[in-house]
Amino acid sequence: MPRLTQITPFLLCNDLQAEIAFFTQRLGFVLGFESRDPGYAFLRRDGAAIRLLESDADLSDERRQQMVYIDVDDVDALWNQVAPNLSDLPEGRVRAPFNQFYNQREFHVIDEGACLLLFGMAHPYEEEPVG
């Protein structure tokens, strides 16, 4: 029986080169393919991949904003690796690792095209000590 091996979301962007630079320089992805006509790129890191598609759409419109969840095996180790590359981003574009109520440990980054990237892993819920 055939098995699905990967999901690669398409992310719209207004500036393909800026978005490629963001993913490669800040998050450690590797450019696998780029085409200027149409503006398209495929990037990969480990078992994750993203496809970028250049668009002239108004991506500041909240109805066009996107979210991508990327599962990782050690979110804190990944954070420690990429945090120096994210330190100069404007306030509000990066959220350091934290525990979610739905038993995930995550960090969040907003890319150049206003897409929210959530990097996370399963994290057992820890009850607050009583008494």
Side-chain angles (χ1 to χ4, degrees), residues 71-114:
D71 292 280
V72 300
D73 61 357
D74 189 339
V75 74
D76 291 299
L78 179 60
W79 170 257
N80 290 335
Q81 185 180 66
V82 301
N85 303 330
L86 304 172
S87 63
D88 64 336
L89 289 176
E91 186 175 337
R93 286 198 42 199
V94 177
R95 184 171 182 191
F98 65 102
N99 296 335
Q100 287 281 25
F101 69 92
Y102 45 83
N103 299 337
Q104 293 287 106
R105 182 156 176 81
E106 302 174 353
F107 71 86
H108 300 169
V109 181
I110 298 174
D111 76 2
E112 299 297 308

